[in-house]
Amino acid sequence: MKVLVIGGGAREHALCRSLSLDPDVTALYCAPGNAGIAEVAELRPVDALDGDAVARLATELGAGLVVVGPEAPLVAGVADAVRAAGIPCFGPSGEAARLEGSKAFAKDVMAGAGVPTARSYVCTTPAEIDEALDAFGAPYVVKDDGLAAGKGVVVTEDVDVARAHALSCGRVVIEEFLDGPEVSLFAITDGTTVLPLQPAQDFKRALDGDAGPNTGGMGAYSPLPWADPKLVDEVLETVLQPTVDELRRRGTPFSGLLYAGLAITSRGVRVIEFNARFGDPETQVVLARLKTPLAGVLLASANGTLDTLSPLNWRDDAAVTVVIASHNYPDTPRTGDPIDGLADVAAQDGPDAYVLHAGTRAEGDTVVSAGGRVLSVTATGKDLAAARERAYTALGRIRLDGSQHRTDIALEAARS
């Protein structure tokens, strides 16, 4: 089939890389893509938030499947427009994508489904904000109700910082702090059947030791050697399937990728948040471990036939990804800096290590930075220690002036 992927980050590069290796994919397009994606897919310009434009492009290309990567187009209803044009689309409707687009809506769905999550208040006035902060106490967890590109959450001991963030959001969700390690678990669903993938853990803070400001994610790894072997089955039973069933009961069936951000607390598994798409950078490590060809799985989700698929096959190898970010990220990042060493990684480290592009663009024969998170250096190995060593060896070949990265991705897990 011909496949069109919408988006231009490292998540989309990971999706395009996997789809390019699928023998059933006869042509692969990405809109708008980036400099790295151009090596595995044909790039096309499009306004990713314009559903009609995306549907026209898919029709012109003769696409048999459209995969919508980022959250903003999903919340904007791009998947609805593609389906209205008669083309199978992997991604939820705009109404179902509210599960990510509104924290308050997600809390309401979880309440209806009986899904375990943090106690919370939805606040719209300064008085409500003060009351909620006082009720929960420190550490304070304040979440912008709407989309914020992974940076709308503040967790702080400082009530003034928490209040300032809450006041800047308009509508905000304030909730109790959840202790324990965090886990990301993706599931592919067609609105009825739920197919969980392998769990991963990401690193949100900018600096080593989980210090510094919150980011979109600075690295990830999979599998989780410290996690309960029954974790995936438990989350499927208590979180994923009940949520999909509740959305279907409400008349807003969810088809696509359901991402559960979880806290493994002293009182059991609790949902921190839901996302309506593959997470970045967890996608990079989860897809690195998936042996089953990807296109057929995504198409089965789009067509409502997931129940006919054979169980997914996974590599025993571990995977680690480390994000290289621009100078000054996550504040206003510097862009336009040339990136050197990409060819060295391809020549010396492949196929066990490779670079997925996030914020890049081509200027002639030179690749330059074009965003906050620039590259995801991804590697596999027989265990986390081996994958981690390969990832950092490959990262050491790349030169980007003023760039930053964490040096402790998967370090503790590799020791366990």
Side-chain angles (χ1 to χ4, degrees):
M1 76 184 91
K2 296 179 179 180
V3 181
L4 170 62
V5 176
I6 301 301
R11 163 187 47 229
E12 288 76 36
H13 194 174
L15 287 164
C16 285
R17 180 181 183 273
S18 291
L19 289 166
S20 73
L21 299 173
D22 188 330
D24 287 336
V25 175
T26 55
L28 181 60
Y29 306 93
C30 187
N34 63 40
I37 295 174
E39 297 178 4
V40 295
E42 185 177 322
L43 303 190
R44 293 297 175 94
V46 78
D47 178 355
L49 296 176
D50 186 336
D52 291 338
V54 172
R56 282 196 302 272
L57 176 61
T59 301
E60 291 168 8
L61 296 174
L65 174 66
V66 174
V67 179
V68 182
E71 60 272 25
L74 291 168
V75 173
V78 167
D80 300 274
V82 172
R83 279 191 278 267
I87 301 170
C89 185
F90 180 80
S93 67
E95 186 67 20
R98 290 178 63 210
L99 199 64
E100 177 169 3
S102 169
K103 302 288 192 301
F105 176 75
K107 287 290 187 182
D108 188 59
V109 170
M110 283 187 268
V115 168
T117 187
R119 294 180 298 120
S120 63
Y121 294 104
V122 179
C123 306
T124 56
T125 68
E128 290 174 344
I129 288 168
D130 289 340
E131 183 179 351
L133 293 173
D134 185 59
F136 288 129
Y140 303 98
V141 181
V142 183
K143 299 181 175 182
D144 191 335
D145 180 54
L147 293 178
K151 290 171 279 189
V153 179
V154 165
V155 181
T156 179
E157 297 279 347
D158 189 327
V159 67
D160 292 330
V161 172
R163 189 173 191 273
H165 180 64
L167 290 171
S168 73
C169 294
R171 193 175 194 225
V172 67
V173 174
I174 297 174
E175 63 184 38
E176 67 175 327
F177 177 76
L178 296 175
D179 64 333
E182 296 184 10
V183 173
S184 298
L185 184 60
F186 302 161
I188 293 172
T189 179
D190 56 11
T192 302
T193 301
V194 181
L195 191 64
L197 306 185
Q198 289 292 302
Q201 186 175 60
D202 75 331
F203 295 75
K204 289 293 188 190
R205 298 286 184 172
L207 307 176
D208 285 4
D210 286 330
N214 212 37
T215 74
M218 295 299 291
Y221 69 92
S222 180
L224 313 182
W226 49 268
D228 187 329
K230 299 178 182 177
L231 175 65
V232 173
D233 290 339
E234 178 187 348
V235 175
L236 175 61
E237 181 180 343
T238 64
V239 174
L240 299 170
Q241 191 70 58
T243 300
V244 169
D245 292 345
E246 173 68 11
L247 285 165
R248 187 176 67 253
R249 185 189 69 78
R250 291 175 177 228
T252 54
F254 188 104
S255 169
L257 195 290
L258 178 58
Y259 166 156
L262 310 165
I264 313 301
T265 77
S266 56
R267 294 171 291 140
V269 174
R270 298 289 186 272
V271 175
I272 301 170
E273 64 176 355
F274 282 125
N275 290 332
R277 39 71 192 181
F278 280 101
D280 181 346
E282 300 98 317
T283 301
Q284 289 85 302
V285 292
V286 172
L287 292 187
R289 299 186 58 222
L290 180 64
K291 287 177 68 175
T292 300
L294 183 61
V297 181
L298 303 186
L299 184 62
S301 167
N303 287 338
T305 57
L306 273 179
D307 61 336
T308 67
L309 290 187
S310 301
L312 297 178
N313 288 321
W314 296 92
R315 295 182 176 87
D316 292 331
D317 284 358
V320 172
T321 194
V322 183
V323 170
I324 298 176
S326 293
H327 175 72
N328 205 40
Y329 177 79
D331 293 326
T332 306
R334 192 174 76 203
T335 60
D337 290 314
I339 303 167
D340 296 315
L342 297 173
D344 296 336
V345 174
Q348 300 183 53
D349 301 291
D352 298 317
Y354 47 89
V355 181
L356 298 169
H357 292 228
T360 69
R361 68 173 184 270
E363 290 188 352
D365 294 332
T366 303
V367 176
V368 303
S369 61
R373 291 187 295 173
V374 181
L375 303 168
S376 288
V377 183
T378 305
T380 56
K382 63 181 177 61
D383 53 29
L384 284 174
R388 189 175 181 280
E389 181 178 358
R390 283 175 175 163
Y392 279 104
T393 296
L395 184 148
R397 305 189 201 281
I398 296 172
R399 295 171 297 284
L400 172 61
D401 186 47
S403 66
Q404 56 179 311
H405 66 273
R406 284 184 58 158
T407 65
D408 62 347
I409 302 301
L411 180 60
E412 287 189 23
R415 293 170 173 168
S416 63

